[in-house]
Amino acid sequence: MKLGLQLGYWGAAPPTGTAELVAAAENAGFDAIFTAEAWGSDAFTPLAWWGRETSRVRLGTSIVQMSGRSPTSIAMHALTLDHLSGGRVVLGMGVSGPQVVEGWYGQPFGKPLARTREVVDIIRQVLAREAPVTSDGPHYQLPFTGEGSVGLGKPLKPIVHPLRADIPIWLGAEGPKNVAQTAEIADGWIPIFYTPRSAGMYQPWLDEGFARPGARRTRADFEIAATCHVQITASSDEKAVVINGMKPVVALYMGGMGAKEQNFHKQVFERMGYGELADQVQKLYLDGEKDRAVALIPDELVDDMHMIGSAAEVRDRAAEWEETGVTTLLLSCRSADEVRGIADVLA
């Protein structure tokens, strides 16, 4: 199981000290660094900026929001950075949610599975560069001939010859159909809230995708990159403090992300067996009672989602995650010392 440094997306201002984190990850043996985007900073620019000082780690996005760019534009970003980095790009993508897609990007959210399939197909056409890129749609028509077209579009191949036709494409997916499709058409999966306790829920969905005709990968060569927080603590009291500190993030995703009628993150917790709790947390969160929502998050849920404890406990927990099929742990670290310390424990 490999380690990846999750740099995430920016808050109100660019983060500080990131260059030191990236250098530490490169030197400590981490396999990759990953960046993200929401509705502020984008994923590709920070990855290129900080990645320029590296020579070994893979450079991944977790995740690029597909509605923010056309499929060919995403492919252009990936093939450009793949050349500049000497073939180290991992293209992680996801559909995001309706509030962001329709509210920020001004694009329709409907049919997310079909749109994902089209995006992946078009990107693979660009990277293969075997013929001019075409797509019958209905979501992404190339050449475009719909309303407003002047009728002069023509199929094109990228001017630049891609360094790799098989840049790995990993997809963020949460529901049964989406996870199955990911196993069918992608090279890897970026789950959210994947834990050893919930891992069994996902296996039939993955198996369904691997069994489909023309599936791209098998379980043996499919990557699963799970996100968790790793923190080595010196005592049970310190562990309790860390767990309490993680609860606001869990409450945010459980009750405050997405619309009340369609919160994909909340649905994950419901599938994990926390349906009644998720309803209570969402109601309190949306009513503005965030502190009460946070107080409902149980210690055992946070402990299952992350690796917190002594060095021996963290090693044992890492082994549990690896046994479920996780190939990469995506970790958020606060300092270069923390990067090196985690690497020492999990090397």
Side-chain angles (χ1 to χ4, degrees), residues 231-312:
Q231 188 159 343
I232 299 163
T233 56
S235 66
S236 58
D237 289 342
E238 184 182 352
K239 178 176 179 176
V241 170
V242 174
I243 286 176
N244 284 330
M246 300 294 296
K247 289 182 179 181
V249 178
V250 178
L252 169 63
Y253 278 88
M254 184 181 288
M257 296 284 276
K260 180 179 180 180
E261 301 78 12
Q262 198 169 41
N263 179 341
F264 299 124
H265 303 319
K266 176 175 178 283
Q267 291 170 10
V268 175
F269 287 110
E270 291 170 350
R271 296 187 191 101
M272 292 169 66
Y274 293 96
E276 183 177 343
L277 172 67
D279 288 340
Q280 295 173 341
V281 169
Q282 184 184 65
K283 183 180 187 307
L284 289 170
Y285 210 99
L286 296 182
D287 286 346
E289 298 186 73
K290 296 180 182 179
D291 290 343
R292 289 183 63 194
V294 169
L296 290 180
I297 303 299
D299 290 358
E300 58 268 22
L301 174 57
V302 180
D303 197 34
D304 184 40
M305 292 171 62
H306 304 289
M307 300 182 194
I308 305 167
S310 67

Side-chain angles (χ1 to χ4, degrees), residues 141-164:
Q141 187 185 51
L142 293 173
F144 178 72
T145 59
E147 183 178 352
S149 168
V150 298
L152 297 178
K154 62 177 292 186
L156 299 169
K157 291 197 291 187
I159 296 171
V160 177
H161 292 227
L163 180 64
R164 295 185 295 164

